[in-house]
Amino acid sequence: MSDLSGTILVTGGMGFIGSNFVRYLLREHPAARIVNLDKVTYAGNPRNLADVADDSRYVFVRADVCDAHTVAEVLAAQRVDQIVHFAAETHVDRSILEAGDFIRTNVEGTRVVLEAARKAGVRRFLHVSTDEVYGSLGASGAFTEISPLQPNSPYAASKTGADVLVRAYHVTYGLPAIITRTCNNYGPYQFPEKFIPLMIVNALRGEPLPIYGDGLYVREWLHAEDHCRALATVLAAGRSGEVYNIGSGEERVNLDVAREILRLTGQPETLLTHVKDRPGHDRRYALDHAKIRRELGWKPEISFAPGLRQVVEWYRQHDIWWREILSGEYRNYYQAHYGGQRD
Ligand code: DAU
């Protein structure tokens, strides 16, 4: 893969995938400088990047992507020439409780960053999106980059809004923009409201593992490290105006993943607890990622079984990180969302 150079603005770099990406760039691309613009919401955590905070190639700016003045100022002052746009509200269940922040950050925030990018004349705008924009699949098949956009949750709808705005900025203004769509990611520093880290931290504490509905929903799992390498590849060599799916082919049934986590943590299956299903719950996602393999030569390298083992180990060793999260706002969310639920 070609080396990245210049100044790369990463929005949402304090979040799960964003922070993994910042660390990945600093490690693998020594000629790149990174400016991380992040609002530090409940899911953004400065501790995620504490180990690189003093790196001379790294700058952190605390700001909201909806703040047009600050975004434009940062692009100019830092001489940003490429943008990787992660900043987003990402949790489907929260979007079902209240969609306002999702529309604001994901749609309006993307418009603000696009507009600033256009005015600054950046040479690359990479928009990080999700397979959820395609909707849900039955038992077979996989989404390609030209599958229709049929989002089902408010979160997915907000990401679809952002995707079509990015496309419009490319077509209308010639902005050199690319969209990537990934499947479910897992890895270190993932906020424990998401399925895999939630199952791990509950298992490590001997708490019930809440399984929505029958638990037979299927997700495709990609390790964040593989995703970061794919994003760097697209940033370096992707074609403007294109969409690239970033998948792994590692489809798993939710119940099987939860059972494996119980096995890895030495906990009994009696902790599995079926709870009320998520409204509009997408049955299955699967991505066809032949295009990125064919055009850019990227392929996933971390298989799910060793990847999951490694991540369980990471959470076991970083209990200070997640225990601090569990003691904050998370407790109220967890109580409001799961409190007393049984099927
Ligand atoms: O596919 C990419 C998407 O993956 C990203 O765009 C989203 O930001 C990310 O949150 C994720 O969406 P999902 O809805 O698939 O992820 P989540 O971790 O919320 O749930 C994964 C599966 O596990 C889903 O079928 C719902 C189920 N689940 C989830 C939670 C939190 C449970 O059974 N129990 C739970 O407590």
Side-chain angles (χ1 to χ4, degrees), residues 18 21 30 45 47 159 205 208 211 264-265 300 310 313 317 328 338:
F21 186 65
N45 186 348
R47 286 192 195 280
K159 289 297 285 185
R205 293 181 304 144
I211 304 294
L264 290 167
T265 51
Q310 177 233 344
E313 207 37 49
Q317 285 171 14
Y338 296 96

Side-chain angles (χ1 to χ4, degrees), residues 23-72:
R23 190 176 296 98
Y24 178 87
L25 286 183
L26 289 171
R27 191 183 70 225
E28 302 289 334
H29 294 273
R33 220 181 128 249
I34 291 98
V35 179
N36 172 10
L37 185 142
D38 193 298
K39 185 181 175 185
V40 191
T41 63
Y42 79 92
N45 186 348
R47 286 192 195 280
N48 294 3
L49 287 174
D51 53 329
V52 301
D54 297 329
D55 194 305
S56 60
R57 293 188 291 125
Y58 171 72
V59 176
F60 169 57
V61 180
R62 184 169 187 165
D64 185 342
V65 281
C66 293
D67 175 354
H69 178 74
T70 304
V71 172

Side-chain angles (χ1 to χ4, degrees), residues 3 46 49 55 68 109-111 116 138 169 232 242 261 275 303 308 332:
D3 273 352
L49 287 174
D55 194 305
T110 299
R111 184 198 66 80
Y169 267 69
E242 293 294 316
I261 289 169
V275 298
S303 315
L308 185 63
N332 302 335

